[in-house]
Amino acid sequence: MTLESLRNDIDTLDDQLLTLLNQRMELVRKVGELKRSANTVIYRPEREKQILDRLHSQNTGLLNQAAIEAIFLEIFAVSRNLELPERVSYLGPEGSFTHQAAESRFGAMSAYMALPTIRSVFESVETGRVRFGVVPIENNQQGIVNETIDLLLEKDLRIAAEAQIPVHFTFATQTENLAEITHIYSKDIAFRQCSKFLSDSFDGLNVEFVPVESTSKAAKLAGQQPKTAAICSTIAAKLFDVPVLFDNIEDSDLNRTRFLILAKDFVNQPSGHDKTMLIARLANTQSPGVLAEFLQEFNARGINLTKIESRPLKDGATFRYWFLLECEGHANDPALRDVMDQYASEVKLLGSYVRGV
């Protein structure tokens, strides 16, 4: 067996893959026609989850679950654009980790709009300028994003899905010799999160670490200036055409950020693997036991609460709070529906969505 014969075999398989993908897209086109005639939504995270679970259960080859998801999420995104192109906003700038999260769900072919603030993303969805908006909600190292939480109360939007991505930094530069690099650009937090790589690689070298407002800006500068480098996301290096010299240079590989995909009037069908997010504005929270009694309703019905956050109500000069809760299950589940009906005047449903997809 020679290298040339192996490459010929790969070419043959690629030809077969292309034929099969085109056959899949033809079926997708027909699905899109049916959905448009019935005026139903194109993006169905619960259906995508079912496909991924089925493929993973049948897999007997070298591809792991993450690889299968990466390949098929891109296929899903191309399929959705064939059914009906969607416009997606996200918290910018281009090349940010939120941009990366958006592309992980909607693919490289979607029409994207980078916006400067989380509020502007909410408003772009609210006004119908885009179909979906992507915003960060929490990082497992730094905690909750308060602006996102507050806007979930203020705006009347629904959560269509969530996306969890690892925060990986790349070292991007046009210079192959580290000793020739004079400046490294990045955000200050990225310098801190990659301190071991920087210490190991540049100890004793005459290099200046230059903080900038975003890792995207860092990649842009590294692409414009010789003998410089950027610590940035993979998507930023790709966007500004800066070669990646090293991948995954962060000190910890446990850093994760969770993002919400927002939409108007969006309802997911139960998948059997769901979470639900609620806002509770309980009356008389200054009275003993009000919050405890509310939470006990979940416990009594076997509903697992995975998150609870309190935020100031900003109602007059008093110290009063509202609560954001996340729990396992779908809003259509009888147990959860029972709690929501019991507190109908005090609870707002933000959405039920597939866990981790």
Side-chain angles (χ1 to χ4, degrees), residues 72-88:
F72 276 86
L73 284 173
E74 188 66 30
I75 292 174
F76 296 156
V78 173
S79 300
R80 286 196 302 271
N81 275 275
L82 187 62
E83 290 182 70
L84 180 66
E86 301 284 13
R87 193 164 182 82
V88 182

Side-chain angles (χ1 to χ4, degrees), residues 260-312:
L260 297 181
I261 299 172
L262 306 170
K264 290 180 68 175
D265 304 322
F266 193 98
V267 178
N268 284 308
Q269 297 303 310
S271 72
H273 191 72
D274 302 302
K275 289 196 294 188
T276 294
M277 192 174 288
L278 307 167
I279 283 176
R281 298 181 60 172
L282 302 175
N284 305 317
T285 52
Q286 293 175 315
S287 300
V290 171
L291 177 59
E293 290 174 4
F294 174 65
L295 298 179
Q296 179 58 32
E297 298 292 345
F298 292 86
N299 182 60
R301 292 166 176 80
I303 302 171
N304 183 31
L305 284 171
T306 57
K307 175 178 288 296
I308 179 168
E309 298 280 341
S310 65
R311 296 293 296 152

